Amino acid sequence: MVCLKHMGISRKILILVSAVLLLFNSCQNDDDEEFPVVEITSPVSGAHYSVPDSIKVEATVTDNENIEWIQLDLVDKNQKRVGKTFSVKDINKTSFSVDEYYPVTDIHLGSGSYYLQLTASDGNNIKHGQQRVYIDEAPRELQYYLLITRSNPNQVRVYALDSTGTYQAIITEGTDYLDSEYHSGSKTLVISGTSIYNLQAYGSEKFEKVWEISVVANPPEPYFTALAANKNETLLGFYKGEAAVYNSNGNRIKTFFMQNQRYPYKLLKHDDYLISAEQNIPNNDRFLVSYFYNGSSIYRKQFIDFAVQDMFSDNHDEIIIFGNRASAAGIWQYNLTTANFWDAKDFKEDQIISSCKIAAGEYLASGNNNIYRYQVATNSLTSWESGLSAKLINYEDLTNTVLLAIGNTLYFYDFPLSSQEMLVNMPEEILAVHPVYNK
């Protein structure tokens, strides 16, 4: 009995001694308050780079006891990572040299000042070393065009068209086509039906369907009535008197409700407003209505006596509108701040078929027999190309190219000279042309 008791006491002493030694060793490690030293010799402060350059990184990391790991990042002025992270673990040395290239490959990175950050840890202390660099963003480049063509009344095809005029079919889709849009931000092609076919969204990397919005079949009246887009959002109008905004994942994030049995047939996101050209169902009265984009309530409502063909944001206050009356077309300037609605130009005995914005204050519009050039500053309307009537006009700003779709033929014209550069004959009627850029 006595022997067993002494054995029990000895065991307790042994456990106590072990705990003290463990605590002692732990305290010794915790006493290491000396931070690693990080010295970056390359890049030099203020060095300039461009996407997709690689930054030569040369640095030395030292510590009084041990270096466990290092990490290399690119961060912005708010210390947010904006590139890939590279790390080396289990170093277990008191000195470590870095001689690497850090690739800057994000084509969406904007021009500005950034910091090449090297982080080192000795297990207890972490030290950041930074060197400021200036990075020029990747230039925007035209990759190809997406052409939407009508193969039959309930089917469209999508072609990829390169700069040489060579095209390849990539999608065939059943649809009673309303309109299409391309999102440069999310690289998504959206094709909307009208009464019996859904709105479909395709990722332009593999052209696989990524989301859709189901139609509520409503023949002979349309269900979807308007389609528009900004960088990452889809604006969709409904015959039941709604306009909705969908994000890049196809989730509805905003809804605007029209009053007095009106439905939207043209939509435009303009600064902090949604501009909606609306028609009253019983008697076809037309209105131009602006809604607060964040709150969805009405900001202004304007009765109009014409049908809106196209609307464009010209500057912060001004909206340029191309439209048609019964026997003549016109151009209107609408100031959101003053509510001034000015009938700027009339097209006698003509109709606006299509139009496009070249730049702020500069537009092209197609009538029945003429392509017109409209300049806002001088309120001048001149003939840009006579003898042509284009169902579709688009402008590609990097190459200063005007694209005119007439039936199955796509014409490429230089702007502002109006000289024909190329034409491409497609197998079917061309409905839409969307330039695709790298960013």
Side-chain angles (χ1 to χ4, degrees):
M1 294 290 293
V2 174
C3 182
L4 289 173
K5 182 183 288 187
H6 282 298
M7 287 179 64
I9 292 172
S10 299
R11 187 176 181 182
K12 290 180 179 178
I13 291 173
L14 181 61
I15 293 172
L16 180 61
V17 170
S18 298
V20 170
L21 290 174
L22 184 62
L23 180 62
F24 177 74
N25 290 332
S26 176
C27 288
Q28 275 193 321
N29 291 334
D30 289 345
D31 286 341
D32 181 12
E33 297 181 353
E34 189 169 331
F35 285 76
V37 177
V38 178
E39 295 182 352
I40 301 174
T41 55
S42 177
V44 298
S45 180
H48 275 67
Y49 299 90
S50 299
V51 179
D53 287 346
S54 289
I55 301 174
K56 175 69 170 175
V57 182
E58 295 178 339
T60 301
V61 180
T62 58
D63 188 73
N64 64 315
E65 291 192 2
N66 184 56
I67 305 165
E68 285 198 0
W69 54 263
I70 65 164
Q71 181 173 297
L72 194 60
D73 292 290
L74 187 67
V75 300
D76 63 15
K77 62 181 180 181
N78 299 315
Q79 303 303 299
K80 179 182 177 182
R81 290 191 185 100
V82 293
K84 293 182 178 179
T85 294
F86 298 92
S87 60
V88 181
K89 299 180 180 179
D90 301 323
I91 296 174
N92 298 322
K93 296 178 180 179
T94 58
S95 179
F96 187 79
S97 295
V98 178
D99 187 359
E100 298 289 343
Y101 282 92
Y102 183 92
V104 183
T105 57
D106 184 1
I107 63 172
H108 299 290
L109 199 66
S111 296
S113 291
Y114 296 88
Y115 296 88
L116 196 289
Q117 178 173 279
L118 180 60
T119 304
S121 172
D122 62 9
N124 291 310
N125 308 296
I126 293 177
K127 180 69 174 180
H128 300 291
Q130 290 188 340
Q131 202 74 291
R132 184 175 66 86
V133 295
Y134 189 90
I135 298 176
D136 293 315
E137 64 188 75
R140 189 167 65 105
E141 297 176 353
L142 176 66
Q143 295 181 314
Y144 58 93
Y145 295 97
L146 287 173
L147 268 63
I148 317 295
T149 67
R150 191 194 309 277
S151 49
N152 67 58
N154 288 301
Q155 182 175 278
V156 299
R157 284 196 179 94
V158 181
Y159 293 88
L161 173 72
D162 67 20
S163 59
T164 67
T166 303
Y167 57 85
Q168 178 182 2
I170 51 178
I171 299 173
T172 299
E173 181 63 51
T175 181
D176 51 340
Y177 182 83
L178 169 70
D179 205 348
S180 60
E181 292 286 357
Y182 180 76
H183 297 271
S184 58
S186 60
K187 295 186 179 299
T188 303
L189 174 66
V190 176
I191 301 175
S192 177
T194 303
S195 298
I196 56 177
Y197 285 91
N198 297 346
L199 179 146
Q200 313 278 6
Y202 301 86
S204 64
E205 296 295 331
K206 297 181 179 179
F207 291 101
E208 297 175 345
K209 193 181 301 182
V210 291
W211 51 270
E212 65 183 309
I213 300 169
S214 298
V215 72
V216 176
N218 195 37
E221 301 295 345
Y223 183 71
F224 299 136
T225 58
L227 180 68
N230 49 43
K231 188 173 183 180
N232 287 303
E233 295 176 337
T234 298
L235 284 62
L236 187 61
F238 297 81
Y239 188 71
K240 63 183 179 181
E242 288 180 9
V245 180
Y246 297 85
N247 64 16
S248 58
N249 295 317
N251 299 317
R252 183 185 286 217
I253 57 175
K254 297 178 189 295
T255 303
F256 302 84
F257 297 99
M258 283 74 224
Q259 298 177 348
N260 302 323
Q261 294 183 280
R262 297 195 305 267
Y263 68 89
Y265 63 94
K266 287 289 179 181
L267 295 170
L268 171 69
K269 169 69 165 60
H270 173 83
D271 290 343
D272 296 327
Y273 304 96
L274 175 70
I275 313 301
S276 174
E278 299 175 7
Q279 184 168 329
N280 181 280
I281 295 172
N283 49 26
N284 292 329
D285 289 338
R286 299 179 186 271
F287 298 85
L288 194 69
V289 186
S290 55
Y291 299 84
F292 291 104
Y293 201 72
N294 291 328
S296 74
S297 60
I298 291 178
Y299 172 58
R300 295 192 186 280
K301 183 178 73 172
Q302 174 78 41
F303 174 79
I304 56 177
D305 63 349
F306 61 92
V308 173
Q309 179 68 30
D310 285 305
M311 299 186 290
F312 302 96
S313 299
D314 194 63
N315 56 45
H316 177 69
D317 291 323
E318 296 286 340
I319 297 169
I320 304 300
I321 303 171
F322 293 84
N324 295 304
R325 290 191 177 100
S327 59
I331 303 173
W332 289 262
Q333 295 182 23
Y334 179 46
N335 188 295
L336 267 180
T337 301
T338 64
N340 181 44
F341 207 90
W342 181 39
D343 189 345
K345 286 293 177 182
D346 288 322
F347 295 68
K348 300 298 183 183
E349 298 181 359
D350 207 344
Q351 294 284 290
I352 293 291
I353 299 171
S354 60
S355 54
C356 73
K357 180 179 180 178
I358 303 296
E362 188 87 34
Y363 298 87
L364 291 179
S366 175
N368 288 321
N369 296 291
N370 207 355
I371 308 294
Y372 300 94
R373 181 180 181 181
Y374 178 64
Q375 295 173 289
V376 175
T378 57
N379 191 34
S380 60
L381 185 69
T382 56
S383 175
W384 185 73
E385 186 70 20
S386 60
L388 289 180
S389 178
K391 185 175 181 179
L392 167 74
I393 302 182
N394 205 341
Y395 177 68
E396 200 292 296
D397 62 307
L398 290 184
T399 58
N400 294 324
T401 300
V402 176
L403 299 104
L404 306 177
I406 303 175
N408 295 14
T409 305
L410 184 65
Y411 295 85
F412 293 74
Y413 277 80
D414 178 70
F415 185 86
L417 300 179
S418 76
S419 58
Q420 184 180 316
E421 302 294 327
M422 182 174 69
L423 66 83
V424 177
N425 290 308
M426 300 299 296
E428 302 99 14
E429 177 192 8
I430 300 168
L431 301 176
V433 181
H434 303 290
V436 176
Y437 302 96
N438 62 329
K439 55 184 287 190

